Amino acid sequence: MSKEFSGQKACIAPEGVFIIGTYDENGVPNAMNAAWGAQSDYGEITLFLAPHKTTDNVKKTKAFTVAFATKDTVEIADYFGVETGRKVNKIEKAGCHTHKSAHVNAPIIEEFPVTLECEMKSYDDETGILIGKIVAEQADEAVLTDGKVDYDKLQPIIFDIATMTYRIVGPVVGRAFHDGLKLKG
């Protein structure tokens, strides 16, 4: 037997925990936590954002970074989602360190081990859809295996909307574009 829930309570998983980094018009770094986003093409990310200081900044600078929240950065990542950048300098208050991306006019937040550097392709004020071209990726060597990001080392988290919690992305359970080949015949 199944239980029915309203569409407003639907649990869609996984939902990444993305930290969007921007500079304002004075070069002050800002960050926000966003769960609604996905890779939308090779070298492209799409995020669904309500109006925030971060979206104002992106529209002005045409650039942003996307860091992946991890088990070790849960507290900072959650803070970036519960505080508004319109009232406080969240980077400063969280005690984070930043440096300017070498590729785009946006900050890299050093506490996060993997960061995408993005140019804004488009932002729609009506829908809140931000599309970015990923021009580079920075990854701390501590989360690499054979030159690739290793999720077991990174320990990225996802947002569990059903229980309002964060969860770690788990172990490998299969090989993409391979394991189903035996059913193909």
Side-chain angles (χ1 to χ4, degrees):
M1 188 154 115
S2 64
K3 178 175 169 76
E4 185 174 313
F5 297 90
S6 77
Q8 294 292 318
K9 298 253 182 191
C11 69
I12 298 171
E15 291 193 41
V17 181
F18 305 113
I19 304 304
I20 316 304
T22 60
Y23 285 127
D24 69 11
E25 62 276 1
N26 299 312
V28 176
N30 183 58
M32 71 173 282
N33 177 325
W36 297 346
Q39 182 172 342
S40 44
D41 200 349
Y42 291 100
E44 183 180 277
I45 188 167
T46 298
L47 300 157
F48 305 86
L49 307 172
H52 293 279
K53 179 174 180 63
T54 302
T55 52
D56 293 344
N57 291 348
V58 169
K59 291 189 294 186
K60 290 173 188 167
T61 64
K62 311 291 190 233
F64 59 100
T65 55
V66 179
F68 302 132
T70 65
K71 177 183 174 188
D72 292 339
T73 61
V74 168
E75 186 175 283
I76 298 167
D78 193 58
Y79 171 70
F80 287 159
V82 298
E83 181 69 86
T84 175
R86 294 191 195 280
K87 294 182 180 177
V88 298
N89 181 326
K90 294 194 276 186
I91 300 288
E92 192 175 89
K93 189 161 182 187
C96 290
H97 305 87
T98 64
H99 66 270
K100 186 175 181 179
S101 159
H103 303 282
V104 299
N105 183 22
I108 292 179
I109 304 167
E110 296 169 9
E111 283 69 17
F112 295 91
V114 174
T115 302
L116 306 176
E117 299 166 78
C118 305
E119 295 173 347
M120 183 185 83
K121 286 177 80 172
S122 64
Y123 178 75
D124 186 312
D125 284 307
E126 193 171 308
T127 63
I129 296 174
L130 169 64
I131 300 174
K133 174 184 175 187
I134 303 166
V135 298
E137 177 181 30
Q138 301 294 319
D140 188 296
E141 288 184 19
V143 300
L144 301 179
T145 299
D146 299 326
K148 296 178 184 170
V149 174
D150 182 331
Y151 279 36
D152 289 331
K153 292 178 179 178
L154 179 63
Q155 295 188 301
I157 58 173
I158 61 170
F159 171 55
D160 177 344
I161 196 167
T163 61
M164 299 299 282
T165 57
Y166 298 111
R167 297 178 177 272
I168 296 175
V169 173
V172 172
V173 297
R175 293 178 292 168
F177 305 104
H178 181 272
D179 291 354
L181 293 175
K182 63 184 171 188
L183 299 176
K184 191 173 178 181

